[in-house]
Amino acid sequence: MNNFVSMKTMQTEEILHLIKQTDRFANDGLSKTETDKKRFVTNLFYEPSTRTKLSFEVAEKKLGFEVIDFQVDYSSVLKGESVYDTAKTVASIGAEAVVIRHPLDNTVQELAEQLDIPVINAGDGAGEHPTQCLLDIYTMYKEFGDLKGLNILIVGDIVHSRVARSNAYALRTLGANVSFASKPEWQDQRLDFPYVELDDAIETSDVVMLLRIQSERHDQPKPIEDNNYLEKYGLTIEREKRMKKTAIIMHPAPVNRGVEIDDSLVECKRSRIFKQMEYGVYARMAVLDHLLNKEEPQYGDNYQTVLAHVD
Ligand code: NCD
């Protein structure tokens, strides 16, 4: 593995290795040799981000990397510099890896083929969001111990969601049953997963993963407040009451409270939304460490994998 741009072709062993590493960083922190030299990485965000950008930054700093600051609005992007030339520039300056978010599908994959340092996909258009997927999977392992046979319901703007795509691919690889619930016009027929009625599936799902309406990728965005979306397609209090006792609520955030989920459910007992953010740091540490630190990981005394019982 030289890049981290898609979950589609990722094998079970690779996913599980990264999940174990996530757990190692969650439990043990770092060994001393991992923190010694000054090394650089950069985060090229061509789209807004709060969680992903900050969490990559924290993960990079915890691993001992210096983060080369880059802000599109104050860069030569405004003078017409291409993504490739920008990335090649930061590589020449000394970045050992490029973390990149870009509004166009496949820009990240193309860059990964052109650059000779690792490229990490922090979200490409409606394409993929593999590190979000990794932290989501880790959240589920922490909750359930194993994903085989779990019913995962992904609800909302499927066709415009890179989170839905990466999760669907990886969860299927790991043996979970993935289904989607969505407005008809937001279904993605290129994805081979069943569409179900939210009101039926809510009672049998172990994980209900909600998605924000991705208005920035709509041809004709409508105001989200106007349309009774919550009652028709969102997680209302009434639907939450019908969820399985052990089921959890997830959401990659940002959340539009009162649109895809009732405001009061965002921090309810079943919600793992802020836990996901916490785990995002460890998942990103796992990816960066895997790509940039080639030594075998040293597991400390506190290391307890959430996967101890998984083959
Ligand atoms: C997601 C994204 O950017 O794709 N957010 C995130 O990275 N946590 C989902 C979204 O913006 O709705």
Coordinates of all heavy atoms in Angstrom, one line a residue, residues 5 44-48 72 77 81-84 100-112 119-130 159-162 165 190 216-217 219:
V5 N -6.3 6.1 -1.0 CA -7.3 6.9 -1.7 C -8.7 6.2 -1.9 O -9.6 6.9 -2.2 CB -6.8 7.3 -3.1 CG1 -5.6 8.2 -3.0 CG2 -6.4 6.2 -4.0
L44 N -3.5 19.7 2.0 CA -4.0 20.6 0.9 C -5.5 20.5 0.9 O -6.0 19.5 0.3 CB -3.4 20.2 -0.4 CG -1.9 20.1 -0.6 CD1 -1.5 19.8 -2.0 CD2 -1.2 21.5 -0.2
F45 N -6.2 21.4 1.5 CA -7.7 21.4 1.5 C -8.2 22.4 0.6 O -8.2 23.6 0.8 CB -8.2 21.6 2.9 CG -8.1 20.3 3.7 CD1 -6.9 19.7 4.1 CD2 -9.3 19.7 4.1 CE1 -6.9 18.5 4.8 CE2 -9.3 18.5 4.8 CZ -8.1 17.9 5.1
Y46 N -8.8 21.9 -0.6 CA -9.4 22.8 -1.6 C -10.9 23.0 -1.3 O -11.6 23.5 -2.2 CB -9.2 22.2 -3.0 CG -7.8 22.3 -3.5 CD1 -6.8 21.4 -3.1 CD2 -7.4 23.3 -4.4 CE1 -5.5 21.5 -3.5 CE2 -6.1 23.4 -4.9 CZ -5.2 22.4 -4.4 OH -3.9 22.5 -4.9
E47 N -11.4 22.4 -0.2 CA -12.8 22.5 0.2 C -12.8 22.7 1.6 O -11.9 22.3 2.3 CB -13.4 21.1 -0.1 CG -14.4 21.0 -1.2 CD -15.2 19.7 -1.1 OE1 -15.1 19.0 -0.1 OE2 -15.8 19.4 -2.1
P48 N -13.9 23.4 2.2 CA -13.9 23.6 3.6 C -13.9 22.3 4.4 O -14.3 21.3 4.0 CB -15.3 24.3 3.8 CG -15.7 24.7 2.5 CD -15.1 23.8 1.4
V72 N -5.6 27.6 0.6 CA -5.8 27.8 -0.8 C -6.0 29.3 -1.1 O -5.4 29.9 -2.0 CB -7.1 27.1 -1.2 CG1 -7.6 27.6 -2.6 CG2 -6.9 25.6 -1.2
V77 N -2.6 29.0 -5.9 CA -3.8 28.5 -6.6 C -4.6 29.6 -7.2 O -5.1 29.5 -8.3 CB -4.7 27.7 -5.5 CG1 -6.0 27.3 -6.2 CG2 -3.9 26.5 -5.0
E81 N -2.2 28.1 -10.3 CA -1.4 26.9 -10.2 C -2.2 25.6 -10.0 O -3.2 25.6 -9.3 CB -0.4 27.0 -9.0 CG 0.7 26.0 -9.0 CD 1.9 26.3 -8.1 OE1 1.7 26.8 -7.0 OE2 3.0 26.1 -8.5
S82 N -1.8 24.6 -10.7 CA -2.5 23.3 -10.8 C -2.3 22.6 -9.4 O -1.4 22.8 -8.7 CB -2.1 22.4 -11.9 OG -0.8 22.0 -11.7
V83 N -3.2 21.6 -9.2 CA -3.1 20.7 -8.1 C -1.8 20.0 -8.1 O -1.0 19.9 -7.1 CB -4.3 19.7 -8.0 CG1 -4.0 18.7 -6.9 CG2 -5.6 20.4 -7.8
Y84 N -1.4 19.5 -9.3 CA -0.2 18.7 -9.4 C 1.0 19.6 -9.0 O 1.9 19.2 -8.3 CB 0.0 18.1 -10.8 CG 1.4 17.6 -11.0 CD1 1.7 16.3 -10.5 CD2 2.3 18.3 -11.8 CE1 3.0 15.8 -10.6 CE2 3.6 17.7 -11.9 CZ 3.9 16.5 -11.4 OH 5.2 16.0 -11.5
I100 N -4.9 15.4 1.0 CA -5.6 16.3 0.1 C -7.2 16.1 0.1 O -7.6 15.0 0.1 CB -5.1 16.3 -1.3 CG1 -5.9 17.1 -2.3 CG2 -4.9 14.9 -1.9 CD1 -5.2 17.4 -3.6
R101 N -7.9 17.2 0.1 CA -9.3 17.2 -0.1 C -9.6 18.1 -1.3 O -9.0 19.2 -1.4 CB -10.1 17.8 1.1 CG -11.5 18.1 0.8 CD -12.3 18.4 2.1 NE -12.5 17.2 2.9 CZ -13.4 17.2 3.9 NH1 -14.1 18.3 4.2 NH2 -13.5 16.1 4.6
H102 N -10.4 17.6 -2.2 CA -10.7 18.4 -3.5 C -12.1 18.2 -3.9 O -12.7 17.1 -3.8 CB -9.7 17.9 -4.6 CG -9.6 18.9 -5.7 ND1 -10.5 18.9 -6.7 CD2 -8.7 19.8 -5.9 CE1 -10.2 19.9 -7.6 NE2 -9.1 20.5 -7.1
P103 N -12.7 19.2 -4.5 CA -14.2 19.1 -4.8 C -14.4 18.2 -6.0 O -15.6 17.8 -6.2 CB -14.6 20.6 -5.2 CG -13.3 21.3 -5.4 CD -12.3 20.6 -4.6
L104 N -13.4 17.9 -6.8 CA -13.7 17.1 -8.0 C -13.3 15.6 -7.8 O -12.2 15.3 -7.3 CB -12.9 17.6 -9.2 CG -13.2 19.0 -9.7 CD1 -12.3 19.3 -10.9 CD2 -14.6 19.1 -10.1
D105 N -14.3 14.7 -8.1 CA -14.0 13.3 -8.0 C -12.7 13.0 -8.8 O -12.5 13.5 -9.9 CB -15.1 12.4 -8.7 CG -16.5 12.7 -8.1 OD1 -16.7 13.7 -7.5 OD2 -17.4 11.9 -8.3
N106 N -11.9 12.0 -8.3 CA -10.8 11.5 -9.0 C -9.5 12.4 -9.1 O -8.5 11.9 -9.5 CB -11.1 11.1 -10.5 CG -11.9 9.8 -10.4 OD1 -11.6 8.9 -9.6 ND2 -12.9 9.7 -11.3
T107 N -9.6 13.6 -8.7 CA -8.4 14.5 -8.7 C -7.4 13.9 -7.8 O -6.2 13.8 -8.1 CB -8.8 15.9 -8.1 OG1 -9.7 16.4 -9.0 CG2 -7.6 16.8 -8.1
V108 N -7.8 13.3 -6.6 CA -6.9 12.8 -5.7 C -6.2 11.5 -6.2 O -5.0 11.3 -6.1 CB -7.6 12.5 -4.3 CG1 -6.7 11.8 -3.4 CG2 -8.2 13.7 -3.8
Q109 N -7.0 10.7 -6.9 CA -6.5 9.4 -7.5 C -5.5 9.7 -8.5 O -4.4 9.1 -8.6 CB -7.6 8.6 -8.1 CG -8.5 7.9 -7.0 CD -9.6 8.8 -6.4 OE1 -9.6 10.0 -6.5 NE2 -10.5 8.2 -5.6
E110 N -5.8 10.8 -9.4 CA -4.8 11.1 -10.4 C -3.5 11.6 -9.8 O -2.4 11.3 -10.3 CB -5.4 12.3 -11.3 CG -6.4 11.7 -12.3 CD -7.2 12.8 -13.0 OE1 -6.8 14.0 -13.0 OE2 -8.3 12.5 -13.4
L111 N -3.6 12.4 -8.8 CA -2.4 13.0 -8.1 C -1.6 11.8 -7.5 O -0.4 11.8 -7.6 CB -2.8 13.9 -7.0 CG -1.7 14.7 -6.3 CD1 -1.0 15.6 -7.3 CD2 -2.2 15.4 -5.1
A112 N -2.3 10.8 -7.0 CA -1.6 9.7 -6.4 C -0.8 9.0 -7.4 O 0.3 8.4 -7.2 CB -2.6 8.7 -5.7
V119 N 0.0 9.9 -1.1 CA -1.1 10.8 -1.2 C -2.3 10.2 -0.3 O -2.6 9.0 -0.5 CB -1.6 11.0 -2.6 CG1 -2.9 11.7 -2.7 CG2 -0.5 11.7 -3.4
I120 N -2.8 11.0 0.5 CA -3.9 10.5 1.4 C -5.2 11.3 1.1 O -5.2 12.5 1.2 CB -3.5 10.6 2.9 CG1 -2.3 9.8 3.2 CG2 -4.7 10.2 3.8 CD1 -1.7 10.1 4.5
N121 N -6.2 10.6 0.8 CA -7.5 11.2 0.3 C -8.3 11.6 1.6 O -8.8 10.8 2.3 CB -8.3 10.1 -0.5 CG -9.5 10.7 -1.1 OD1 -9.9 11.9 -0.8 ND2 -10.2 9.9 -1.9
A122 N -8.5 12.9 1.7 CA -9.3 13.5 2.8 C -10.7 13.8 2.3 O -11.4 14.6 2.9 CB -8.6 14.7 3.4
G123 N -11.1 13.3 1.1 CA -12.4 13.5 0.5 C -12.2 14.1 -0.9 O -11.7 15.2 -1.0
D124 N -12.7 13.3 -1.9 CA -12.6 13.8 -3.3 C -14.1 13.9 -3.8 O -14.7 12.9 -4.1 CB -11.7 13.0 -4.2 CG -12.3 11.6 -4.4 OD1 -12.5 10.8 -3.4 OD2 -12.5 11.2 -5.6
G125 N -14.6 15.1 -3.9 CA -15.9 15.3 -4.5 C -16.9 14.4 -3.9 O -17.0 14.2 -2.7
A126 N -17.7 13.7 -4.8 CA -18.6 12.7 -4.3 C -18.0 11.3 -4.5 O -18.6 10.3 -4.6 CB -19.9 12.8 -5.1
G127 N -16.7 11.3 -4.5 CA -15.9 10.0 -4.7 C -15.8 9.2 -3.5 O -16.7 8.4 -3.1
E128 N -14.7 9.4 -2.7 CA -14.4 8.6 -1.5 C -13.9 9.4 -0.4 O -13.4 10.5 -0.6 CB -13.4 7.5 -1.9 CG -14.0 6.3 -2.7 CD -13.5 5.0 -2.2 OE1 -13.4 4.7 -1.0 OE2 -13.3 4.1 -3.1
H129 N -14.0 8.8 0.8 CA -13.5 9.5 2.0 C -13.0 8.4 2.9 O -13.6 8.1 4.0 CB -14.6 10.3 2.7 CG -14.2 11.3 3.7 ND1 -12.9 11.3 4.2 CD2 -14.9 12.3 4.3 CE1 -12.9 12.3 5.1 NE2 -14.0 12.9 5.1
P130 N -11.8 7.8 2.5 CA -11.4 6.6 3.2 C -11.0 6.7 4.7 O -11.2 5.8 5.4 CB -10.2 6.1 2.4 CG -9.8 7.2 1.5 CD -11.0 8.1 1.3
V159 N -26.2 9.6 -3.2 CA -25.5 9.8 -4.5 C -24.4 10.9 -4.5 O -23.4 10.8 -5.2 CB -26.5 10.1 -5.7 CG1 -27.1 11.5 -5.6 CG2 -25.8 9.9 -7.0
H160 N -24.5 11.8 -3.5 CA -23.5 12.9 -3.4 C -22.6 12.6 -2.3 O -21.8 13.5 -2.0 CB -24.2 14.2 -3.3 CG -25.1 14.6 -4.4 ND1 -26.5 14.6 -4.3 CD2 -24.9 14.9 -5.7 CE1 -27.0 14.9 -5.4 NE2 -26.1 15.1 -6.3
S161 N -22.7 11.5 -1.6 CA -21.9 11.3 -0.4 C -20.7 10.4 -0.6 O -20.8 9.2 -0.9 CB -22.8 10.7 0.7 OG -21.9 10.3 1.8
R162 N -19.5 10.9 -0.4 CA -18.3 10.1 -0.5 C -18.2 9.2 0.8 O -17.5 8.2 0.7 CB -17.1 11.0 -0.6 CG -17.0 12.1 0.5 CD -16.0 13.2 0.1 NE -16.0 14.3 1.0 CZ -15.7 15.6 0.6 NH1 -15.4 15.8 -0.6 NH2 -15.6 16.5 1.5
R165 N -20.1 6.0 0.1 CA -19.4 5.1 -0.8 C -18.3 4.3 -0.2 O -18.2 3.1 -0.2 CB -18.9 6.0 -2.0 CG -18.7 5.3 -3.3 CD -18.3 6.3 -4.4 NE -19.2 7.5 -4.3 CZ -20.4 7.6 -4.8 NH1 -20.9 6.5 -5.4 NH2 -21.1 8.7 -4.6
R190 N -25.3 3.3 -9.4 CA -24.0 2.7 -9.7 C -23.5 1.8 -8.5 O -22.6 1.0 -8.7 CB -22.9 3.7 -10.0 CG -23.2 4.6 -11.2 CD -22.3 5.8 -11.2 NE -22.6 6.6 -10.0 CZ -22.0 7.7 -9.7 NH1 -21.0 8.1 -10.4 NH2 -22.3 8.4 -8.6
E216 N -23.8 21.5 -1.5 CA -22.7 22.0 -2.4 C -22.5 21.2 -3.6 O -21.9 21.7 -4.6 CB -21.5 22.1 -1.5 CG -20.8 20.8 -1.1 CD -21.3 20.2 0.1 OE1 -22.5 20.4 0.5 OE2 -20.6 19.4 0.8
R217 N -23.1 20.0 -3.7 CA -22.9 19.2 -4.9 C -24.2 19.0 -5.7 O -24.3 18.2 -6.6 CB -22.3 17.8 -4.5 CG -20.8 17.9 -4.1 CD -20.1 16.6 -4.1 NE -20.2 15.9 -2.8 CZ -19.5 16.2 -1.7 NH1 -18.6 17.1 -1.7 NH2 -19.7 15.5 -0.6
D219 N -27.1 20.3 -8.3 CA -27.2 21.3 -9.4 C -28.1 22.5 -9.0 O -27.8 23.6 -9.4 CB -27.8 20.6 -10.6 CG -26.9 19.6 -11.2 OD1 -25.7 19.7 -10.9 OD2 -27.3 18.6 -11.8

